[in-house]
Amino acid sequence: MLKEVIATRYITPLREGGSLPGLVEGDDFAPYVMKFSGAGQGRKTLVAEVVVGELARRLGFRVPRLVTLDLDPVLGLGEPDQQVQELLRSSGGANLGMDFLSGALGFDPLAFTVSAEEAGRIVWFDALVNNVDRSWRNPNLLMWHGDLWLIDHGATMIWHHNWPGAEASAARPYDAADHALARFAPDLATAAADLAPKVTGELLAEVTAEIPDAWLTGEPGFDTPDLLREAYAAPLLARVPFIHERIKGLQ
Ligand SMILES: Nc1ncnc2c1ncn2[C@@H]1O[C@H](COP(=O)(O)OP(=O)(O)OP(=O)(O)O)[C@@H](O)[C@H]1O
Ligand SMILES: [Mg+2]
């Protein structure tokens, strides 16, 4: 289970983020990047962060530790910024938190070099989860202590916005033409050979078990959170065997 932390202080908004993530302090005194359940994109973005972030971590990628951040909406009362106040007020209960990597730099494909091996692993993984938010314009990769860290997995698994069409949607190829790491000659064959066997039904069950029930209840067509967890695992499992052959746009 994700560690449960209580948000005790809203520090500042991270202005670059489209969803207005904030920097908050937890009751363990640690700083967290907080993604709000009441933000425009809603709970599904948070579910995607957990499924994809925790899967990435188990496959050996560097991902900031994820926690749930419990928010008391009264924290918004003292906020001078109207937009932030609204966000805090509409996000009572469980939100997503991740360790704040202090001093991390945004990855710039023109300023940093990545090996063909690491690029291959990240592109393969992004193809598996259909990440449309790792372009050179907005890489959602951070350089921290000399290493590459993966963040922002909210725009993945597009099929969870239309469950009846999920199977067909998950059969589609992945376009990597704009991928932030496309220029580093990603070695997809080696990545697939190493990573694909690790993405098992068992691993996906472990990963989806991390999603808080509160973000899964009330989804039309699913009577229990566990049925929805299975629906999250199925398209990923289906993509594992073929996705490396359906990555388009690389030279
Ligand atoms: N764990 C972290 N540690 C340090 N900085 C972070 C962390 N997570 C996010 N940031 C910073 O905050 C910015 C916004 O975060 P993120 O990309 O996750 O939000 P978003 O609203 O989904 O963004 P967008 O949709 O604009 O890509 C990042 O580009 C990065 O600069
Ligand atoms: Mg982002």
Side-chain angles (χ1 to χ4, degrees):
M1 217 179 78
L2 300 182
K3 182 183 174 187
E4 292 177 2
V5 177
I6 298 171
T8 51
R9 188 164 66 96
Y10 183 83
I11 302 170
T12 187
L14 290 167
R15 285 288 174 194
E16 319 94 283
S19 69
L20 213 68
L23 185 64
V24 305
E25 188 173 83
D27 63 346
D28 55 0
F29 303 106
Y32 292 98
V33 173
M34 182 163 182
K35 298 225 167 168
F36 296 91
S37 61
Q41 297 94 329
R43 302 186 308 178
K44 285 195 178 178
T45 308
L46 307 190
V47 172
E49 292 268 11
V50 172
V51 173
V52 174
E54 290 302 317
L55 179 59
R57 186 191 325 287
R58 284 164 177 79
L59 294 176
F61 294 98
R62 284 174 293 267
V63 183
R65 185 182 57 128
L66 302 180
V67 301
T68 58
L69 275 174
D70 196 62
L71 175 73
D72 182 340
V74 298
L75 227 58
L77 291 178
E79 273 308 311
D81 184 314
Q82 185 79 18
Q83 212 183 349
V84 172
Q85 206 182 91
E86 293 286 313
L87 199 56
L88 293 175
R89 247 202 306 219
S90 60
S91 301
N95 294 269
L96 182 73
M98 72 196 72
D99 279 350
F100 177 64
L101 309 182
S102 176
L105 289 177
F107 175 80
D108 177 349
L110 300 177
F112 299 101
T113 306
V114 176
S115 69
E117 188 198 346
E118 187 170 22
R121 292 170 69 83
I122 294 173
V123 172
W124 183 87
F125 180 73
D126 283 336
L128 176 71
V129 301
N130 190 42
N131 188 358
V132 296
D133 231 356
R134 194 98 70 204
S135 72
W136 54 268
R137 287 177 213 90
N138 183 16
N140 289 309
L141 293 167
L142 298 179
M143 289 300 291
W144 193 58
H145 293 200
D147 288 320
L148 203 53
W149 288 69
L150 311 188
I151 60 160
D152 195 1
H153 299 114
T156 55
M157 305 188 296
I158 189 167
W159 45 82
H160 73 154
H161 296 290
N162 175 25
W163 285 116
E167 204 179 321
S169 170
R172 295 207 187 107
Y174 180 73
D175 184 356
D178 283 346
H179 196 283
L181 305 183
R183 55 182 300 162
F184 299 106
D187 180 355
L188 293 173
T190 304
D194 177 43
L195 296 175
K198 295 181 174 146
V199 185
T200 60
E202 206 171 38
L203 186 71
L204 291 168
E206 185 184 313
V207 162
T208 54
E210 300 277 15
I211 313 165
D213 278 358
W215 301 343
L216 297 172
T217 49
E219 177 73 14
F222 297 90
D223 290 340
T224 67
D226 279 344
L227 288 173
L228 189 49
R229 288 189 172 94
E230 285 167 22
Y232 271 99
L236 295 174
L237 197 58
R239 275 164 86 81
V240 170
F242 66 72
I243 195 59
H244 66 286
E245 285 163 357
R246 295 201 203 161
I247 298 175
K248 294 179 160 180
L250 296 174
Q251 257 99 41

